[in-house]
Amino acid sequence: MIQLENVTKRFPGGSNAVLNLTLEIPDAQTCVLIGPSGCGKTTTLRMINRLIDPDMGRIMVDGVDTKTEDPAALRLRMGYVIQQTGLFPHMTVGDNVGTVPRLWKWDSERIKKRVDELLELVGLPPGEYRARYPHQLSGGQRQRVGFARALAADPPILLMDEPFGAVARRWSSSRTTSKRRCSSATASAS
């Protein structure tokens, strides 16, 4: 469960990105933050995984105040798809997707199998895309790689910040089917 209790984040100049937000997201539930640009959606996600800390209030994940946890350890338990994909430009698609499983010290065969499974899931045939670099992909393909990377270690929490904004219409139309497959794959891994 994720709980935000009276969370506030202000930026220099006095602007309130998030003001007194209280929110409870039960396990295994989908929560969508909807609002205009600049209303604090991205800031809220960044506070949940401690890329930034709130100025006031607290955030609890599974009953533990995130301020008491090592930020890197907290992030390893969360998948995060950011707006600009955040792929490592010096790493191949396969290495980008396998980043978190490597940090969890999965064996190389298990990582390769998971990378291939996820590339197939997002419509990028592994034989064609695994060895490519991010600069060799379209914006939509990079977003799909970012989505696959977020799912790679079967995280119990998945944070997605406009994950499909640049995805091509061809894949976008089959996204519902892909989401169902993702949900099934994630549920069966639990």
Side-chain angles (χ1 to χ4, degrees):
M1 174 179 301
I2 299 172
Q3 296 168 287
L4 288 80
E5 299 172 353
N6 302 308
V7 172
T8 295
K9 181 66 181 177
R10 291 186 179 94
F11 288 116
S15 66
N16 292 315
V18 177
L19 183 60
N20 201 33
L21 176 62
T22 297
L23 176 67
E24 187 172 290
I25 307 166
D27 290 341
Q29 295 295 311
T30 300
C31 174
V32 179
L33 302 177
I34 298 174
S37 179
C39 75
K41 301 177 302 289
T42 296
T43 299
T44 299
L45 294 177
R46 292 174 53 117
M47 287 189 293
I48 290 171
N49 75 359
R50 289 207 56 205
L51 285 171
I52 57 175
D53 286 321
D55 295 323
M56 294 175 17
R58 71 180 183 164
I59 298 172
M60 311 275 283
V61 174
D62 295 330
V64 178
D65 189 332
T66 59
K67 283 188 180 180
T68 67
E69 292 194 66
D70 174 62
L74 176 69
R75 289 181 206 126
L76 278 174
R77 297 193 329 259
M78 298 181 184
Y80 189 32
V81 185
I82 63 174
Q83 287 181 21
Q84 302 300 319
T85 71
L87 299 180
F88 301 112
H90 63 289
M91 294 169 63
T92 66
V93 165
D95 288 339
N96 265 286
V97 175
T99 298
V100 175
R102 270 193 311 283
L103 293 171
W104 280 111
K105 301 190 184 316
W106 288 16
D107 68 75
S108 60
E109 190 55 38
R110 182 179 177 201
I111 293 171
K112 182 184 180 307
K113 181 180 176 189
R114 183 65 172 158
V115 166
D116 288 356
E117 171 188 347
L118 288 168
L119 289 177
E120 286 288 345
L121 186 71
V122 299
L124 300 172
E128 186 178 344
Y129 289 92
R130 186 186 320 105
R132 289 189 186 184
Y133 287 87
H135 73 274
Q136 297 172 310
L137 305 175
S138 70
Q141 290 168 336
R142 285 192 298 272
Q143 281 193 304
R144 288 187 269 165
V145 172
F147 181 60
R149 182 178 62 191
L151 294 174
D154 298 318
I157 296 171
L158 182 60
L159 304 174
M160 299 195 307
D161 191 359
E162 298 184 24
F164 303 113
V167 173
R169 180 173 271 204
R170 188 175 116 238
W171 190 71
S172 184
S173 66
S174 65
R175 193 171 22 179
T176 302
T177 301
S178 295
K179 280 188 199 174
R180 285 187 193 123
R181 286 188 298 188
C182 289
S183 294
S184 296
T186 305
S188 65
S190 302

